[in-house]
Amino acid sequence: MAFSFLSICTPYFTLSFDNIGHKWLMECLGQRINDSTFLSLIVRFLKAGIMVEGRYQETDKGTPQGGILSPILSNIYLHFVLDLWIEKELKQGLKGYAEEIRYADDFAICVEHEEDAERAVVKLRERLGKFGLKLAEEKTRVIEFGRKAEKPGTFDFLGFTHYCDKTRGGGFKVGV
């Protein structure tokens, strides 16, 4: 099979983290933190609300934009919602090699077979939907990429365009 890197998926919750469900987040944190006082401080941080045109609004989801804890809480949330799920469930249902690369809320899923890529995207939509998240459709696509690709595509990840290239000796390398 010619596919050695196939699925590029970037979720639809960039740095605003406005779709994270408080209940789900607290369940994730509760799996690793036994200190109820510390957990209640996080709840208070999450429930602090926002100001819109000088008026206070309560919040029941998301983390405060610009809040010092927001990036770490989002990474913890994605660890439980995405990383562990890919490792323990998604990979088990695929035929060939699969790996996830994630930095904050940007990620790519590499799979060996095209049918695995298509299945992964469907399963990923279902999984994220369960937690109130969704993929950015304009950034989500399946491409042929890698050492065996007949017509390799390119993709942008973390601000860099990646493409199939060759080393001086003629071997495969990822060009950036």
Side-chain angles (χ1 to χ4, degrees):
M1 184 57 68
F3 300 93
S4 51
F5 184 96
L6 264 171
S7 182
I8 305 300
C9 305
T10 303
Y12 177 82
F13 44 93
T14 54
L15 296 176
S16 67
F17 307 119
D18 57 356
N19 291 322
I20 293 176
H22 293 174
K23 179 181 173 253
W24 284 114
L25 176 59
M26 294 312 296
E27 281 189 36
C28 294
L29 292 171
Q31 290 186 29
R32 299 292 298 238
I33 301 170
N34 290 329
D35 186 340
S36 61
T37 303
F38 183 73
L39 290 173
S40 68
L41 284 172
I42 293 174
V43 169
R44 289 176 63 190
F45 171 79
L46 294 172
K47 302 284 184 194
I50 58 172
M51 296 293 286
V52 178
E53 296 179 9
R55 299 180 69 163
Y56 172 78
Q57 288 184 356
E58 290 185 8
T59 55
D60 61 348
K61 65 179 185 174
T63 61
Q65 195 169 25
I68 194 165
L69 292 180
S70 294
I72 189 76
L73 292 176
S74 298
N75 270 308
I76 291 168
Y77 191 69
L78 284 178
H79 173 72
F80 283 95
V81 169
L82 185 66
D83 302 340
L84 292 177
W85 174 78
I86 287 173
E87 198 62 39
K88 294 181 179 185
E89 291 190 33
L90 182 66
K91 285 184 178 183
Q92 306 310 315
L94 303 178
K95 292 180 189 175
Y97 171 84
E99 198 60 56
E100 172 205 23
I101 304 161
R102 182 172 73 83
Y103 181 81
D105 64 341
D106 288 324
F107 65 94
I109 300 175
C110 314
V111 297
E112 188 174 359
H113 302 290
E114 184 175 14
E115 59 271 16
D116 283 346
E118 300 296 343
R119 185 177 307 123
V121 171
V122 170
K123 296 280 187 193
L124 187 57
R125 280 191 183 100
E126 291 172 8
R127 176 67 176 180
L128 294 178
K130 177 180 177 179
F131 294 92
L133 305 172
K134 61 183 179 179
L135 293 173
E137 296 301 327
E138 69 279 0
K139 295 180 179 180
T140 303
R141 60 193 175 113
V142 174
I143 64 167
E144 183 177 4
F145 192 90
R147 121 179 30 257
K148 299 176 185 174
E150 292 176 25
K151 296 179 182 176
T154 64
F155 64 95
D156 294 330
F157 186 61
L158 300 177
F160 296 95
T161 299
H162 297 73
Y163 58 94
C164 294
D165 201 2
K166 295 196 181 295
T167 64
R168 291 181 195 175
F172 173 79
K173 77 171 189 171
V174 176
V176 179

